[in-house]
Amino acid sequence: MKNSRPILWLIIGVLLLLVLVVSGLRVGSYSTSYSFIFNTFRHYDPTEPAQLALVELRLPRIVLALLAGASLAVSGYLLQTLVTNPLADPYLLGTASGASLGAIMSFVLVPSLTVAGVYLPPVAALVGAFAATLVVVALGTRRGKILPAPLLLAGVAVGALAAAIGSLLTFLASSEGNLRSIVFWAFGSFERASWGVLPYPAAVLGVSLFLLAFLQKDLNLLLLGEERAAALGLPVAQRRWLLVLLAAGLTGGVVALCGPVGFVGLLVPHLTRGLLGTTGRYNLVVCALLGGCFLLACDLLARVLYPPAGLPVGLVTALFGVPFFVYLLRKNN
C-alpha cells in the first residue's frame, strides 16, 4: 500500500490538472461551453475569433502557468534540500529579485524595449537572475564549498539590495507607460504568454527533471548533513553547485516571463513531502505536478475574482503563502 501511494497521487494530480485546464479554457472575457472547447480542438478554424482566442490566448496562458508552477516548485524543493531549511524557497538566492531588477532596468533605460529586434525585458531578467545568483554563491562559498548559512544570509542581503535599486528606478521612471509596465511586472502575470516563448521554460524544466532523475539518491544523502553525506562518498561541493545552478535557471526563466510569483516554491515542496515522505523516489515528479496545479488554480481564481482581466497572480499566491509561512515559523520556532 505504501509503494502505491506515489502512483495514486500521480493519478490524482493528473486528473486535477485536466480539470483545471478545462476550467481555465472556459473562463475569460467570455464563457465557453465544453462542447465548444471539444469542437475547437477537433475542427480548429483560425478564422473564427472565438476559436482563435481559445487556442492562441487562453491555452498558452494555461501552459505557461503550468510550467511556471512546476519550475518554482522544483526549485524550492532543491533549495530546501540544499540548505536543509524548511523556510527556503526560490527567492532565497536573490534570483527573483535580480531578475526583477534586470527587467525594471530594461523598462526604464530602454523606452523602446527592443534592441536589434529582440524584446529586451525577458533577456535582461535572465541576466539579472544569474548575476544575482553568482554574487550570492560567491559570498556563500568558503574554500570551494557552499555553506548553507552564509548562502542564506547573502541571498537575503543581495535580494534586499536588488529590491531597493528596483524601487529607486521605479520612483525615477519618467513616463507613465514605463511605470505601468514595472508595476504590472512586479505583481506577476501570465499575460505575455504565447506559443513562441513556451519552448524555453519547457526545455529548462525538462532538462532539470531529466538530470535530477539520476540524482534522487544524492538529494536524500544531502538531507543527512554535509559531513555524513561526504562520509558516504557524495561529492558534496559539486552537487551543491549543480543544485544552485538548476534552481537559478528554473527560477530565472519563470521570472523572466511571468514576473516574481512568490510562495509556490515554499508551499508545494512541503505539501509533497507531507503526502509522500521526505525521501520518496517520485517526489520531484509529484512536486512539479502539484506546483503546476497550484499555480493554475491561483490563476483561475484570479480571473474569477476580477473578470475579465483577472487579478495579478502574485497577489493570489500571497494569500495562500503568507499564512503558510507564518504556520512554518510557529511550527519550527
Side-chain angles (χ1 to χ4, degrees), residues 81-82 84 145 214-243:
T81 302
L82 174 69
T84 59
K145 294 183 179 181
F214 299 97
L215 298 175
Q216 183 64 56
K217 182 179 178 181
D218 295 351
L219 294 176
N220 294 337
L221 289 177
L222 284 174
L223 294 173
L224 300 175
E226 181 176 346
E227 293 183 0
R228 294 183 66 182
L232 292 172
L234 181 70
V236 176
Q238 292 89 331
R239 288 296 181 270
R240 281 186 165 162
W241 269 106
L242 178 59
L243 294 183

Side-chain angles (χ1 to χ4, degrees), residues 239-311:
R239 288 296 181 270
R240 281 186 165 162
W241 269 106
L242 178 59
L243 294 183
V244 166
L245 292 176
L246 289 177
L250 288 166
T251 305
V254 169
V255 175
L257 295 174
C258 311
V261 180
F263 297 103
V264 180
L266 174 69
L267 192 154
V268 176
H270 283 278
L271 176 61
T272 303
R273 294 188 180 100
L275 295 174
L276 304 181
T278 304
T279 58
R281 61 182 298 185
Y282 295 102
N283 278 20
L284 281 168
V285 176
V286 174
C287 185
L289 184 58
L290 293 179
C293 289
F294 174 71
L295 207 48
L296 273 174
C298 288
D299 184 50
L300 181 61
L301 181 60
R303 286 189 279 166
V304 170
L305 292 177
Y306 192 72
L311 294 170

Side-chain angles (χ1 to χ4, degrees), residues 68-326:
S71 298
L72 291 173
V74 172
S75 180
Y77 189 98
L78 295 180
L79 290 174
Q80 289 174 13
T81 302
L82 174 69
V83 301
T84 59
N85 189 324
L87 299 180
D89 78 340
Y91 294 78
L92 173 72
L93 300 182
T95 306
S97 297
S100 296
L101 177 59
I104 290 172
M105 290 179 68
S106 68
F107 288 131
V108 174
L109 302 179
V110 186
S112 65
L113 300 182
T114 303
V115 174
V118 177
Y119 185 61
L120 195 57
V123 178
L126 281 173
V127 172
F130 279 103
T133 303
L134 290 176
V135 171
V136 170
V137 170
L139 294 175
T141 301
R142 298 291 185 276
R143 296 179 181 177
K145 294 183 179 181
I146 298 176
L147 304 180
L151 186 74
L152 187 149
L153 295 175
V156 172
V158 172
L161 178 61
I165 297 174
S167 298
L168 176 62
L169 291 174
T170 303
F171 178 79
L172 297 176
S174 57
S175 71
E176 184 177 349
N178 287 343
L179 183 59
R180 287 181 178 178
S181 298
I182 293 171
V183 173
F184 190 77
W185 176 278
F187 281 134
S189 171
F190 303 122
E191 295 295 334
R192 294 182 178 87
S194 68
W195 291 115
V197 302
L198 292 179
Y200 302 105
V204 174
L205 178 62
V207 170
S208 298
L209 289 177
F210 177 78
L211 293 175
L212 292 169
F214 299 97
L215 298 175
Q216 183 64 56
K217 182 179 178 181
D218 295 351
L219 294 176
N220 294 337
L221 289 177
L222 284 174
L223 294 173
L224 300 175
E226 181 176 346
E227 293 183 0
R228 294 183 66 182
L232 292 172
L234 181 70
V236 176
Q238 292 89 331
R239 288 296 181 270
R240 281 186 165 162
W241 269 106
L242 178 59
L243 294 183
V244 166
L245 292 176
L246 289 177
L250 288 166
T251 305
V254 169
V255 175
L257 295 174
C258 311
V261 180
F263 297 103
V264 180
L266 174 69
L267 192 154
V268 176
H270 283 278
L271 176 61
T272 303
R273 294 188 180 100
L275 295 174
L276 304 181
T278 304
T279 58
R281 61 182 298 185
Y282 295 102
N283 278 20
L284 281 168
V285 176
V286 174
C287 185
L289 184 58
L290 293 179
C293 289
F294 174 71
L295 207 48
L296 273 174
C298 288
D299 184 50
L300 181 61
L301 181 60
R303 286 189 279 166
V304 170
L305 292 177
Y306 192 72
L311 294 170
V313 70
L315 297 180
V316 180
T317 59
L319 294 177
F320 293 99
V322 171
F324 184 74
F325 184 78
V326 173

